[in-house]
Amino acid sequence: MSGDEDYKRMFHQALRIRLVEERIIDLYPSDRIQSPVHLSIGQEGAAVGVCNGLRDTDLLFGSYRGHAYYLAKGGDLKSFFAELFGRATGMAGGKAGSMHLAAPDVGFQGCSAVVASSIPHAVGAALAARRLGKDQRIVAVFGDGATEEGVFHESLNFAALHDLPVVFVCENNGYAVHAALSARQAYSISKLPAVYGIPYTRIEEGADFVAVDKEFTTAVADTTGPKFIEIMTYRSKEHVGVADDFHAGYRTDVEFRDWQAKDPLVQDTALVEEYQPAIEGEISEAVNFAETSPLPAPEDLLADVI
Amino acid sequence: MTDNPSPSEPLSYAGALLETMRGALASNPHSIIMGQGVDDFKGTFGTTLGLADEFGAERVMDMPLAEEGMTGIALGATLNGLYPITTHIRADFAFLATNQIINLIAKYKYMFGGLFEVPMLIRAVVGRSWGQGAQHSQSPQSQFAHVPGLTVIMPADSQSILDMYPYIVENYRGPVISIEHRLLYDLEFNVERGDPNRLENPLTSRLIREGSDVTIVATSIMVLEARRAAEHLAKTASIECEIIDLNSPSHPDADLILSSVRKTGRLVVADTSWRPYGVAAEICRMVCENDPSALQAPAVSLGMAPAPCPTAKSLEDAYYPNLTDLTDGIARLVVGREQHGVPLADETSMRDVYKSFKGPF
Ligand SMILES: Cc1ncc(C[n+]2csc(CCOP(=O)(O)OP(=O)(O)O)c2C)c(N)n1
């Protein structure tokens, strides 16, 4: 496959994710989505680049900011919108909402809304993969803030100690809620993996999905032990919710404009024009599916507890 | 009550929290507030807003994502003379700190034979509605109240906050966990300021309404539901409910509850969490062990359905007990029949609040 085809395919995926989330923004005031949403707008390139080389049998564990990875990993769009609408046809029958997406059929193993709590799950999955002789890549995706939690360090140590084939992917968007990295961390994320003897790769241009794919693939080519990949990226909307928050004072829109200048989804207008209509059609179909789907049955409330 | 009670005035729950947080910093130069986002432009849903500017970032400290670390740091700080107040914007995140809270803080005095005291306040906010889902909605009063050494409170209105927080910060020598409710934050309640020391012990149960037919023991937002149920039942069926706000799950006023149940002969417990091994179970234990003959009918309890919290609104509506469930439960108990004929309160109750509570947080 030529480089150009690669670019176009990943561009299409990234644009699809963005348009899905922009549709969520449009729908939000109607109250049809009654679930807190942590949007990935600005961060699509990381998800698309990381997932490009992954197979359905490769496992990925995510966070509440999970829309992009759910879609990039191959999660179904209709059951995504149905889930956000709280419908019986959602991927969890309405029990998950936006924060707990999963699609085990394509190796998307679940999102937790407790920061850093799914990192050890990837380590455990890697332990299982090795013991059971499974040919799998196992990926944990988390934010920069998650590296402050104790369980992050416990997970790195165990993975390194047992040389487990797990890939730690830190999406560094510079903020945890409204607090900048420098106000929270006395360490440099880039130096931590070395403490545990884990090879570290920094991917500077998170918006450039082709670069993310290439550098990620190179970094994880050796499948014997843990790897740590930090992807520099940018969240353009407020931490949770659908609004812009540059007026709030904790960041300026200068960094946003710098980011936009590098964002292929903003720059490559020709390709946006080419792809947008079909994608919008697919999204409308999914939204319509969600809207016309039944609500969960009352007895579903107590189903699947044990 | 003072002889000249000052007139009551409206104050929101969040307003009472902000007032008492400011008071804590102003009255004691050694007090500090620590928590994620305490200094940002949202200021812990308005309850620490502006305090970092007013008192300095060293006393109102934004925290990294490190709940256990923060809580252990608070323990060390109180051991060495500071008064720490820590915050969790969801009570669920306090579960990451349970090692420090349960294994250390709860035991620090006892385990060392009284050599240490660890006065501190941990604030944890319960989420509800707008798709909070399984991990942003838990109400951990019984987990913490189960452990000797912890004082657990659940303010149900602004008055309770004004009565308890200054008392805790200024006078109380033990660790307190306050479980606040996010949906109460924007509601206004009438408060009387009066004499701040009018209550000998504010950290126990409160009589909210007198009545002769049934005793309702409620926690947090369920106190509000109980008030509405009581009004409805008095109006439509002349059923008089006595309401007790449990207020302190760890240190309930057993005399108040038992004498009320002896008087009414009927008990309803309405809690914000699950029923098994929880507040409902505990109040029933209290009655069974002390005066089982006080009950003229089996007790009734209401709580969350025995499941994790679903996100979909339609399921969430069924998950939490509402005013209809409460009036139905009380009417069945008092009338003594399933078909009690009492008109049920319609769904204007808290659903109005939940509806107007627009997420996400
Ligand atoms: C244990 C825990 N503490 C606090 C929170 C509240 N919270 C939700 S997201 C978040 C910020 C996380 O930042 P980061 O890891 O950088 O990820 P990002 O949101 O930027 O993608 C916080 C503090 C939480 N969900 N879980």
Side-chain angles (χ1 to χ4, degrees):
Chain A
M1 207 184 279
S2 79
D4 192 45
E5 274 174 56
D6 262 358
Y7 168 77
K8 283 184 153 179
R9 189 171 32 78
M10 284 191 263
F11 185 97
H12 185 276
Q13 278 197 352
L15 180 65
R16 183 169 173 263
I17 296 167
R18 174 148 318 168
L19 295 175
V20 163
E21 291 202 321
E22 286 180 351
R23 186 67 66 91
I24 291 171
I25 296 175
D26 291 344
L27 288 166
Y28 217 57
S30 73
D31 284 0
R32 279 177 289 176
I33 298 172
Q34 299 198 5
S35 180
V37 288
H38 300 74
L39 299 182
S40 307
I41 293 179
Q43 304 191 188
E44 303 92 335
V48 168
V50 165
C51 293
N52 188 53
L54 297 180
R55 301 156 296 177
D56 287 355
T57 48
D58 294 330
L59 306 183
L60 192 140
F61 294 80
S63 77
Y64 49 88
R65 199 177 302 287
H67 299 176
Y69 280 92
Y70 172 89
L71 293 170
K73 194 75 174 71
D76 180 66
L77 186 63
K78 285 184 175 162
S79 47
F80 169 82
F81 270 108
E83 187 61 35
L84 263 55
F85 277 60
R87 303 299 165 129
T89 52
M91 43 59 57
K95 286 178 172 151
S98 160
M99 295 199 287
H100 306 296
L101 297 170
D105 53 328
V106 290
F108 191 54
Q109 295 300 90
C111 294
S112 174
V114 178
V115 171
S117 58
S118 64
I119 300 171
H121 307 165
V123 176
L127 180 71
R130 192 170 62 194
R131 277 195 70 83
L132 302 175
K134 295 187 182 188
D135 167 31
Q136 278 175 317
R137 281 201 191 295
I138 315 284
V139 181
V141 178
F142 48 89
D144 46 282
T147 66
E148 293 153 28
E149 292 284 5
V151 73
F152 163 79
H153 298 268
E154 295 168 27
S155 300
L156 258 62
N157 181 44
F158 188 86
L161 196 63
H162 294 277
D163 210 26
L164 296 173
V166 56
V167 185
F168 298 101
V169 174
C170 176
E171 288 189 309
N172 186 343
N173 62 16
Y175 296 92
V177 192
H178 312 123
L181 203 78
S182 58
R184 298 180 283 114
Q185 298 180 2
Y187 55 88
S188 160
I189 292 174
S190 64
K191 301 223 168 85
L192 285 180
V195 173
Y196 300 99
I198 299 176
Y200 166 86
T201 303
R202 177 181 168 110
I203 301 181
E204 204 56 54
E205 301 297 344
D208 182 351
F209 32 80
V210 174
V212 174
D213 171 44
K214 212 166 113 223
E215 292 170 47
F216 181 84
T217 307
T218 308
V220 304
D222 159 40
T223 55
T224 51
K227 306 284 179 288
F228 193 108
I229 293 159
E230 183 179 15
I231 305 178
M232 308 313 287
T233 183
Y234 191 72
R235 149 171 76 77
S236 80
K237 296 293 168 185
E238 58 184 340
H239 165 70
V240 56
V242 300
D244 291 324
D245 67 355
F246 300 108
H247 61 280
Y250 73 96
R251 59 179 187 167
T252 67
D253 62 355
V254 176
E255 50 191 61
F256 172 59
R257 275 186 304 230
D258 287 351
W259 178 260
Q260 279 197 314
K262 294 189 275 188
D263 183 352
L265 300 181
V266 173
Q267 299 306 319
D268 193 342
T269 48
L271 220 44
V272 171
E273 264 168 50
E274 184 183 335
Y275 290 153
Q276 183 157 4
I279 296 175
E280 296 287 8
E282 185 199 2
I283 294 172
S284 295
E285 211 179 300
V287 169
N288 188 48
F289 170 79
E291 233 153 11
T292 53
S293 287
L295 293 173
E299 59 268 25
D300 290 343
L301 179 63
L302 297 183
D304 295 326
V305 173
I306 285 169
Chain B
M1 287 285 157
T2 53
D3 292 338
N4 292 320
S6 46
S8 69
E9 57 176 279
L11 179 65
S12 73
Y13 192 88
L17 288 167
L18 177 59
E19 183 179 320
T20 52
M21 287 299 105
R22 174 178 286 116
L25 295 169
S27 68
N28 178 353
H30 299 310
S31 60
I32 58 169
I33 299 176
M34 310 162 87
Q36 290 160 22
V38 291
D39 65 345
D40 73 16
F41 68 98
K42 297 208 169 160
T44 326
F45 313 121
T47 66
T48 56
L49 206 58
L51 299 183
D53 288 339
E54 194 176 337
F55 295 95
E58 282 169 15
R59 295 189 61 200
V60 182
M61 300 179 79
D62 185 26
M63 289 301 289
L65 280 99
E67 288 79 6
E68 182 182 357
M70 168 176 78
T71 309
I73 291 163
L75 172 57
T78 188
L79 284 169
N80 205 20
L82 291 182
Y83 185 87
I85 299 172
T86 63
T87 65
H88 299 273
I89 57 167
R90 282 294 177 273
D92 313 67
F93 311 152
F95 286 136
L96 277 76
T98 45
N99 178 41
Q100 291 296 328
I101 296 173
I102 294 178
N103 287 332
L104 284 301
I105 290 170
K107 297 172 175 54
Y108 225 82
K109 183 170 185 185
Y110 186 89
M111 189 166 78
F112 296 109
L115 292 178
F116 303 104
E117 286 180 324
V118 290
M120 61 192 288
L121 172 62
I122 298 169
R123 293 176 49 200
V125 186
V126 176
R128 171 168 167 175
S129 191
W130 200 269
Q132 296 297 307
Q135 297 175 332
H136 281 55
S137 58
Q138 295 170 96
S139 195
Q141 58 271 31
S142 53
Q143 278 93 346
F144 290 130
H146 184 64
V147 180
L150 300 175
T151 298
V152 182
I153 58 169
M154 294 185 85
D157 57 30
S158 309
Q159 186 73 54
S160 177
I161 293 163
L162 294 187
D163 287 341
M164 293 197 291
Y165 279 48
Y167 174 86
I168 291 163
V169 172
E170 285 159 34
N171 305 321
Y172 202 66
R173 300 299 304 158
V176 177
I177 302 178
S178 182
I179 299 171
E180 303 167 3
H181 204 294
R182 178 70 181 92
L183 287 191
L184 293 172
Y185 268 50
D186 302 327
L187 302 187
E188 298 220 317
F189 297 88
N190 279 334
V191 296
E192 276 173 29
R193 292 180 184 278
D195 173 7
N197 299 319
R198 69 195 165 84
L199 297 175
E200 199 185 317
N201 175 18
L203 307 188
T204 190
S205 312
R206 309 182 304 162
L207 181 64
I208 297 293
R209 182 186 198 277
E210 287 189 68
S212 51
D213 295 321
V214 57
T215 301
I216 307 174
V217 177
T219 55
S220 186
I221 199 155
M222 295 312 290
V223 175
L224 199 55
E225 293 280 30
R227 281 183 163 135
R228 291 167 197 230
E231 268 168 46
H232 171 80
L233 291 169
K235 238 188 315 189
T236 59
S238 301
I239 293 174
E240 291 301 333
C241 303
E242 181 144 304
I243 302 173
I244 294 170
D245 170 8
L246 191 65
N247 198 38
S248 173
S250 62
H251 296 81
D253 186 338
D255 290 340
L256 178 68
I257 294 169
L258 288 169
S259 62
S260 174
V261 174
R262 282 188 198 107
K263 178 175 76 175
T264 65
R266 300 182 187 90
L267 172 67
V268 173
V269 185
D271 185 35
T272 58
S273 190
W274 297 291
R275 295 182 298 160
Y277 297 92
V279 167
E282 175 58 12
I283 302 304
C284 289
R285 179 187 74 88
M286 183 192 285
V287 174
C288 284
E289 285 189 354
N290 288 290
D291 197 352
S293 61
L295 286 179
Q296 293 162 22
V300 168
S301 64
L302 287 95
M304 305 191 297
C309 181
T311 301
K313 179 89 174 76
S314 59
L315 292 177
E316 200 196 47
D317 281 346
Y319 181 72
Y320 290 107
N322 59 32
L323 186 62
T324 312
D325 301 330
L326 190 53
T327 48
D328 189 38
I330 297 166
R332 268 189 284 148
L333 186 57
V334 174
V335 177
R337 285 191 305 276
E338 292 282 310
Q339 306 302 323
H340 47 69
V342 174
L344 297 180
D346 62 24
E347 268 322 307
T348 52
S349 71
M350 290 308 296
R351 295 277 184 89
D352 286 349
V353 176
Y354 305 153
K355 246 184 226 148
S356 67
F357 180 79
K358 279 234 181 156
F361 271 72

